[in-house]
Amino acid sequence: MPTQGRWWLPPLGEVVFASMLLWLLLGGQASVLLADGDTGWHIRTGDTILATGRFPTHDLFSFSRPGAPWFAWEWLSDVLFSLANRAAGLKGVVLLAAMTIAATSAVLFEFLLWQRVNVLVAIFAMFAAGSASTVHWLARPHVFTCLLFVVSLWLLEADRRRRSPWVWMLAPLGALWANLHGGFVALPAMLAIYALGAWWDQASRPRPRDWGPARRYAALLAAVAAATLLNPYGYRLHQHIASYLRSDFIRNAVEEFQSPRFRGESMLVFELLLIGGLLAVPSLWRRRDYAPALLVVALAHAALGSVRHVLLYVLAATPVAAAELTRRLEGAPGGWAQVLAELASDYAPRPGAQAGLRFPAWGLAAAALALALLNSGPPRWRVEFPPQKFPQQALARTEKEIVGRRIFTSDQWGDYLIYRFYPHVRVFIDGRSDFYGAALGREYLEAQQGQHRWEEIFKRYGFEVALVPVEWPLASLLKADPEWRLAYDDGHALVMTRTAPSTLAGRTD
């Protein structure tokens, strides 16, 4: 069904955006975006920034490290989440995250079409990329990194094929990115790879050689690196991120920094894209497309070392694998490959049909519709932190015994406590693993697992309440300890209170 001349039909990119957005918000995925408690402290950090007009330099949330130096290194994301929460509650937060995820899918799809990928292959590749990314589809600042990464990749690929002044937009984009999420370091790394690819392209040729592209990307790298210093913490932000990424404790203790486990649908699709991207590398190398080849290899190495990097690998490898598959289809003799190519040509956008910028009317209409339905729809569309992951009932029943007291709980539940009760509750630990460090992190894990020092740790920090999952080894130990009384048990969470007052000296909370 050719679409030329039917002005009222939305571009394919907007169809992808609207479809993805409505599926995320109305297909039972809305609360899944809140499955990570970090969203809670991000919202409250944004609240504090808006209320004080200052960037935090010291801890806001803990009693274990009160007033210690702390970087709110995703401050702009925190402010955006806070504004969304003020405007529409958690529905607004989820809508913001879902729109960013949907925009990432739409931009990726348009990028594939720009590369002249077979439209049916593009649809399949876009869905594969989405499926592999669901492991980190969360209302957290990294969703902005995914969107800005694919935009940056498109700008670089467009410039590599035909020089354009638009590529210098990467400098202000880098400054914006540095205030949204620590993943901004991916942009200088990508530019270094493109500079290396351009250098190798000329170094492997006979004289005379044109070093212009290599110098261009090196200059762009310098401009972007300088632009990322435009953040409230300057170069100290870069030092902090470097220390964070080098931490052996974080790599060993934090699940998202560990190697991926190839179980479940999303990781199996990632495995498929991993194979597809790496199989395309030899063809890229033969065509002297060194930069995309090096980028795929570098991100494959990073993704196999840390599941946190899977998203970036997927966004870099999907265009490469899809373009290679299209070339194979176009070169295949007759048969089903020819039928697929002809079918795709019937539905592909006509040259020039969608040129230029268009007002995203369909996408904005989908966002307005989704928010209206979330506000008036059935209970299954209710947006909240998932009760199966967070102790909502326990806190509703025992709030008076918790507020104002020293609580031992999980890092995820600590995030949720910050969201529910800050500033009336301070936590022992939360999701800011970069802030608490290895020493306190190990004490947390020892106590959680009920190891031999758990009583010593409890006494040293003067815990008065324990809010713990029933499956923790610590839960059984507390129930058997005469110094602790069971206040609540719903089969999901236990609330234990100390029977005698804490003897901790020097309390400041």
Side-chain angles (χ1 to χ4, degrees), residues 75 171-172 174-176 178-179 223-235 237-238:
W75 73 269
L176 172 67
N179 292 280
V224 167
T228 62
L229 294 172
L230 300 176
N231 69 81
Y233 309 103
Y235 71 91
L237 174 63
H238 301 66

Side-chain angles (χ1 to χ4, degrees), residues 58-248:
H58 296 84
D59 177 48
L60 302 173
F61 304 123
S62 80
F63 65 78
S64 54
R65 298 195 65 202
W70 173 59
F71 294 125
W73 43 301
E74 296 155 339
W75 73 269
L76 184 52
S77 294
D78 299 344
V79 167
L80 292 175
F81 284 136
S82 175
L83 291 172
N85 188 58
R86 289 185 180 187
L90 288 177
K91 298 183 185 70
V93 175
V94 165
L95 177 63
L96 174 61
M99 289 180 67
T100 307
I101 293 169
T104 303
S105 294
V107 172
L108 177 62
F109 181 72
E110 292 285 0
F111 181 30
L112 294 173
L113 295 184
W114 176 83
Q115 287 188 307
R116 300 189 182 280
V117 169
N118 178 301
V119 67
L120 299 182
V121 172
I123 292 171
F124 170 79
M126 185 267 298
F127 278 118
S131 178
S133 302
T134 54
V135 66
H136 266 124
W137 276 1
L138 298 164
R140 282 175 45 186
H142 67 261
V143 296
F144 299 113
T145 277
C146 294
L147 176 58
L148 295 177
F149 181 88
V150 72
V151 168
S152 302
L153 183 60
W154 193 349
L155 283 171
L156 279 170
E157 278 300 295
D159 186 78
R160 195 170 65 88
R161 299 183 186 191
R162 184 177 180 180
R163 287 191 183 185
S164 167
W166 283 103
V167 76
W168 293 96
M169 289 298 296
L170 288 175
L173 185 144
L176 172 67
W177 198 343
N179 292 280
L180 285 168
H181 185 243
F184 74 87
V185 296
L187 181 55
M190 184 160 49
L191 286 167
I193 288 173
Y194 269 72
L196 177 61
W199 175 85
W200 182 253
D201 178 49
Q202 295 301 313
S204 60
R205 294 177 185 270
R207 298 177 184 273
R209 296 165 178 159
D210 177 14
W211 300 108
R215 287 195 292 265
R216 179 179 178 83
Y217 295 128
L220 188 56
L221 169 59
V224 167
T228 62
L229 294 172
L230 300 176
N231 69 81
Y233 309 103
Y235 71 91
R236 291 177 299 164
L237 174 63
H238 301 66
Q239 291 178 328
H240 178 72
I241 292 174
S243 174
Y244 182 46
L245 295 176
R246 290 198 305 266
S247 170
D248 287 335

Side-chain angles (χ1 to χ4, degrees), residues 317-331:
T318 297
V320 165
E324 185 62 25
L325 180 57
T326 297
R327 291 188 185 92
R328 298 297 175 92
L329 290 174
E330 290 174 347

